[in-house]
Amino acid sequence: MSRPVPSKTAAQPPFDALIGLGSNLGDKIANLDLAIERLTATPDIRLVARSRTYKSAPWGVIDQDWFVNAAISIRTPLSPRDLLQRCQAIENEMGRVRQQHWGPRLIDIDILSY
């Protein structure tokens, strides 16, 4: 009996990366929306799905406002390093200031899985 030959057109996984986003300064939901809009503004990052938004308590430095968070799944040909650079560039463009570890932030974009 012959063994099955793997298909060259096997289904791709449903996403390439999971991205977590958070904000606890300004219009938090608008910050998340803008970050997602900027991340997916070019054809090399395609939004597959978006979670609902949710609130989370600050961690580490607890004397600050609560965070609003969301997660997205994306398809991208970018390498993990290139995707990280894109995420950090968007954080910088939006005005993120890194003054205090675990401190307040206008936007935080993290690669959760690649």
Side-chain angles (χ1 to χ4, degrees), residues 2 4 6 14 16 18 30 32 34 39 41 51-52 61 69 87 90 110:
S2 64
D16 293 318
L18 297 174
L32 298 182
L34 181 58
L39 268 172
S51 73
R52 64 178 179 83
V61 177
N69 304 98
C87 292
I90 291 168
D110 297 317

Side-chain angles (χ1 to χ4, degrees), residues 5-79:
V5 176
S7 169
K8 291 184 180 181
T9 60
Q12 290 184 316
F15 61 86
D16 293 318
L18 297 174
I19 308 290
L21 302 101
S23 175
N24 76 336
L25 294 174
D27 186 337
K28 301 166 196 171
I29 294 174
N31 293 338
L32 298 182
D33 291 341
L34 181 58
I36 293 168
E37 181 181 311
R38 288 186 178 189
L39 268 172
T40 59
T42 58
D44 58 356
I45 297 179
R46 184 174 60 85
L47 181 64
V48 173
R50 177 182 174 161
S51 73
R52 64 178 179 83
T53 56
Y54 58 96
K55 287 176 64 174
S56 63
W59 190 85
V61 177
I62 59 173
D63 185 24
Q64 59 181 314
D65 200 7
W66 280 55
F67 284 83
V68 172
N69 304 98
I72 60 173
S73 58
I74 61 168
R75 299 270 323 150
T76 183
L78 296 176
S79 70

